[in-house]
Amino acid sequence: MACCDHRLSLGVTESVCPDCLATVPAERYAEGDVVYLGKRCPEHGAFAVPIWRGLDSYLRWGLAPRAFSPPAIAATPVARGCPHDCGLCRDHRQQSCCVLLEVTSRCDLACPVCYASARRDGADASLGEIDAWLDTLAEAGGRVHIQLSGGEPTTRDDLPEIVARIRARGFDFVQLNTNGVRIARQADYLARLADAGLDCVFLQFDGVSDDVYRRLRGAKLMRLKARAIEACGGAGIGVVLTPTLVPGVNVDQIGAIVDFAVAHLPATRAVHFQPVSYFGRGLGQPDAGSRVTLPEVMEALIAHSGGTIRLADFHPGSAENPYCSFSGRFVVEADGRMRAASEPRPSCCGVPVEPQRAACCGSAAPSADVARERRYVAGQWTRVDRAAAPAAGLDAFDAFLAGRDRTLGLSGMAFQDAWTLDLDRLRQCHIHVVAPDRRVIPFCAYNLTSRAGRPLYRAPAGVVEAVA
């Protein structure tokens, strides 16, 4: 793909055609301060989409180290090439960090925006199928973070049993991806999840006003969101607020969401922003104005801080492709101002580790970058049980807790759709989904849909396929 005089070429890659999902050549290039991904399908024509607004930060992010660590087991052969042979294949460049188990395709809402196109009349995976998925992960090395997802996982009455089964298999960090409706309404259900070993709630949290939820989720939910956070705080479960950012709907609430998280420390451990991606049940045909990019989110956070947060306080991910994410840890002062937290001190395996999570990697050790990512997430996103304080050094432990209780993570992740998919990024993905047939598939590939809604991997809405 030739570079025009007014373009700055930033490298070639491959992508897919949004219409037929065929693999096509692509180019990253800058026009002014905006970075685009451009591609051409022989049958359906040319496409170009903004992927990063801010050339300086794009060039800086590109300097981040890229440590590849292929999965120990190549489960699928390469026949058609990426992204059509996921499972994972030998061309994938990164081990799993967080793996989603979609335990149901049912949901108690009917959100206008839903990457899974979940419905109220979906189906549940059986306990036997879930056990088989865990077998697959254990055979590949285990020790990954498990996120229970769907659909809405809390539509299952037996979800606490599922958490307990995961814990019994030796997986030591379990998250719940939820809209929060049931855990807000049923304290006994949340208590059962906590007793079973749930570490963290990934709470869908799109804004601080009901007008946002009406547009994105089809219901007035703000009061339930606040009640869910309060309930999790009482149960000792950390909460990560997870806003889906949609231009014209809630981007102007980025600062208000951060203020809400600060007001609900230490129950809220982090805010994890996710610019909307156009797959599943989305918002229609995207154009340039339908996109919000990661540097725009960082700039909004910097502006909201009044100068106490700088771009240098955010960093690319340590395991995934640098253009997939940003993150930073911040201490909230008594006056509400935020400053960058010092990095965790080196510990296990010579990589930064939160003190309470300094555990060795185990016999099936992941790469140093993946191990660091797993421990960083577990350390930041969970709450510390004061009852587990060491017998000696209580004053030091209390001081550590006091500081940690005033620490908030701010991060963002740009999931890829059929317009933005960059196969260099996809091959380095470390967030995976176990498909019903036990293939382990990168999240963005699993959810990829064509312009007409045809999925590449995901089963039709309402269907959970049997394990082969």
Side-chain angles (χ1 to χ4, degrees):
M1 189 173 294
C3 179
C4 301
D5 291 341
H6 63 288
R7 293 182 177 181
L8 173 64
S9 180
L10 298 169
V12 295
T13 182
E14 291 178 299
S15 184
V16 296
C17 169
D19 284 312
C20 64
L21 300 183
T23 302
V24 296
E27 179 190 18
R28 309 176 202 97
Y29 62 90
E31 289 187 349
D33 205 37
V34 180
V35 178
Y36 293 86
L37 182 72
K39 54 193 173 182
R40 178 179 292 277
C41 172
E43 182 177 356
H44 298 105
F47 304 88
V49 60
I51 56 174
W52 196 277
R53 292 187 174 100
L55 181 57
D56 287 347
S57 60
Y58 183 89
L59 297 174
R60 172 188 160 183
W61 244 240
L63 298 176
R66 307 187 190 194
F68 300 148
S69 182
I73 298 175
T76 55
V78 176
R80 297 178 59 197
C82 190
H84 303 279
D85 299 315
C86 291
L88 299 161
C89 81
R90 66 171 182 266
D91 287 342
H92 202 71
R93 299 171 182 167
Q94 194 54 279
Q95 302 166 6
S96 301
C97 176
C98 177
V99 179
L100 279 70
L101 305 184
E102 296 197 338
V103 297
T104 184
S105 61
R106 292 187 292 137
C107 188
D108 49 2
L109 296 176
C111 300
V113 177
C114 178
Y115 69 80
S117 297
R119 305 185 314 197
R120 295 181 185 272
D121 60 347
D124 294 345
S126 70
L127 294 179
E129 288 169 330
I130 294 170
D131 285 342
W133 299 344
L134 296 173
D135 287 341
T136 295
L137 298 178
E139 292 163 3
R143 298 303 299 271
V144 297
H145 293 172
I146 300 293
Q147 184 176 109
L148 297 173
S149 191
E152 172 52 49
T154 63
T155 58
R156 295 190 63 142
D157 294 334
D158 63 351
L159 192 65
E161 179 183 348
I162 293 172
V163 173
R165 292 167 89 98
I166 295 169
R167 284 293 200 174
R169 297 292 296 273
F171 297 92
D172 58 7
F173 187 76
V174 185
Q175 309 170 40
L176 169 62
N177 187 15
T178 180
N179 59 33
V181 171
R182 187 170 184 178
I183 63 175
R185 290 173 170 166
Q186 297 183 12
D188 58 335
Y189 184 79
L190 180 62
R192 288 170 55 209
L193 288 170
D195 290 343
L198 183 67
D199 290 291
C200 170
V201 163
F202 235 54
L203 180 66
Q204 177 194 88
F205 193 90
D206 299 317
V208 297
S209 58
D210 276 329
D211 62 309
V212 169
Y213 292 103
R214 280 195 297 266
R215 292 187 65 180
L216 297 185
R217 308 302 168 188
K220 295 169 61 175
L221 297 172
M222 187 60 218
R223 184 175 299 179
L224 286 174
K225 301 292 184 181
R227 193 184 303 168
I229 295 168
E230 180 181 1
C232 288
I237 296 174
V239 178
V240 178
L241 305 184
T242 311
T244 298
L245 295 177
V246 181
V249 178
N250 62 345
V251 173
D252 61 344
Q253 291 197 12
I254 288 175
I257 292 170
V258 172
D259 289 344
F260 186 95
V262 169
H264 290 80
L265 287 169
T268 51
R269 304 305 314 143
V271 185
H272 189 57
F273 296 97
Q274 297 177 351
V276 65
S277 296
Y278 292 86
F279 41 46
R281 188 166 64 234
L283 297 175
Q285 172 70 32
D287 55 25
S290 304
R291 301 282 180 181
V292 56
T293 64
L294 292 183
E296 293 171 280
V297 181
M298 288 185 279
E299 289 166 5
L301 294 170
I302 292 166
H304 181 69
S305 76
T308 62
I309 294 177
R310 305 164 302 156
L311 182 62
D313 296 329
F314 294 110
H315 308 282
S318 63
E320 70 268 31
N321 184 279
Y323 296 111
C324 289
S325 69
F326 72 84
S327 64
R329 296 172 64 248
F330 300 91
V331 174
V332 181
E333 305 285 8
D335 61 2
R337 292 187 300 174
M338 303 178 74
R339 62 172 174 81
S342 59
E343 288 298 310
R345 67 174 182 267
S347 181
C348 176
C349 306
V351 297
V353 184
E354 288 282 320
Q356 77 283 6
R357 287 282 175 171
C360 289
C361 301
S363 57
S367 70
D369 291 288
V370 170
R372 175 173 55 197
E373 192 87 352
R374 292 177 188 172
R375 289 191 294 266
Y376 177 90
V377 167
Q380 175 61 37
W381 289 357
T382 55
R383 294 194 64 186
V384 178
D385 184 1
R386 291 179 181 272
L394 291 177
D395 289 343
F397 189 74
D398 283 342
F400 159 70
L401 286 180
R404 189 174 181 275
D405 284 354
R406 300 298 296 172
T407 301
L408 184 70
L410 297 177
S411 57
M413 180 159 284
F415 294 114
Q416 302 175 90
D417 53 38
W419 287 266
T420 60
L421 190 72
D422 181 330
L423 295 190
D424 281 347
R425 284 178 57 189
L426 186 68
R427 291 187 182 101
Q428 204 175 343
C429 176
H430 70 345
I431 298 177
H432 300 152
V433 183
V434 181
D437 62 5
R438 297 180 63 172
R439 285 181 295 171
V440 178
I441 299 174
F443 180 90
C444 294
Y446 188 72
N447 289 290
L448 199 68
T449 52
S450 70
R451 189 201 313 251
R454 178 173 66 86
L456 185 64
Y457 286 103
R458 178 180 287 282
V463 176
V464 174
E465 297 172 336
V467 174

